[in-house]
């Protein structure tokens, strides 16, 4: 699979986590865009609807959650086709169930194993 053509929007309120995830993805050949909150993420997504292939977002963030972003994406016809993956410390089965029902593609728990991380991303991008 040629990752160089795939762009992933990384959403995390912690700059260090966001930078680490972006660097990890870039080493595998992905293009990344990193933002710190839901409002910024949705704006970037709307500006780049043709170039963003996947949204990788934290669940727990100040102001709005990753779930809020998921619902915004899935209810907007321009960007609803873009898959969303949560990368989070959140462990609630109920939140996971509701998120899957709302259209979430995958749920990766932090800390993650790199094989699990990349296989979830690659499987989602191949769909």
């Amino acid at each position: 699979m040629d990752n160089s053509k795939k762009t992933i929007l990384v959403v995390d309120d912690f700059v260090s986590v966001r930078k680490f995830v972006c660097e990890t993805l870039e080493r595998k050949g992905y293009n990344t865009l990193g933002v710190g909150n839901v409002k910024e993420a949705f704006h970037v997504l709307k500006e780049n609807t043709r170039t963003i292939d996947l949204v990788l977002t934290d669940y727990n963030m100040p102001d709005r959650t990753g779930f809020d972003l998921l619902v915004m994406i899935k209810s907007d016809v321009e960007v609803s086709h873009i898959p969303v993956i949560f990368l989070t410390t959140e462990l609630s089965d109920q939140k996971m169930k509701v998120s899957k029902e709302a259209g979430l593609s995958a749920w990766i728990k932090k800390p993650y194993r790199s094989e699990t991380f990349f296989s979830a991303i690659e499987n989602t991008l191949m769909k």
Side-chain angles (χ1 to χ4, degrees):
M1 188 167 132
D2 183 9
N3 299 338
S4 62
K5 294 184 176 85
K6 301 291 182 182
T7 299
I8 299 175
L9 176 61
V10 177
V11 188
D12 199 299
D13 53 313
F14 285 101
V15 176
S16 57
V17 172
R18 190 168 64 238
K19 282 180 71 175
F20 176 78
V21 171
C22 284
E23 288 167 6
T24 301
L25 290 165
E26 287 165 9
R27 278 196 302 275
K28 278 283 195 177
Y30 294 102
N31 297 319
T32 64
L33 295 167
V35 296
N37 61 55
V38 169
K39 184 179 177 192
E40 196 178 354
F42 197 69
H43 175 75
V44 168
L45 204 54
K46 292 291 281 185
E47 295 289 307
N48 299 279
T49 55
R50 301 214 186 288
T51 55
I52 293 175
D53 300 290
L54 174 70
V55 176
L56 184 64
T57 182
D58 191 8
Y59 188 98
N60 297 304
M61 294 181 285
D63 302 330
R64 315 278 299 271
T65 66
F67 182 77
D68 294 328
L69 179 58
L70 173 67
V71 170
M72 290 166 71
I73 291 169
K74 294 305 172 185
S75 60
D76 185 300
V77 71
E78 281 184 62
V79 293
S80 63
H81 66 282
I82 299 171
V84 179
I85 294 177
F86 288 162
L87 177 61
T88 182
T89 56
E90 179 60 59
L91 298 173
S92 162
D93 287 338
Q94 182 58 31
K95 287 179 180 172
M96 195 182 301
K97 181 179 182 291
V98 171
S99 299
K100 288 276 190 188
E101 289 167 358
L104 185 70
S105 295
W107 184 293
I108 304 168
K109 292 183 178 135
K110 291 181 198 170
Y112 61 86
R113 292 180 42 235
S114 68
E115 310 86 68
T116 309
F117 177 73
F118 286 112
S119 93
I121 289 169
E122 288 157 15
N123 290 339
T124 298
L125 287 170
M126 284 193 283
K127 288 180 184 169

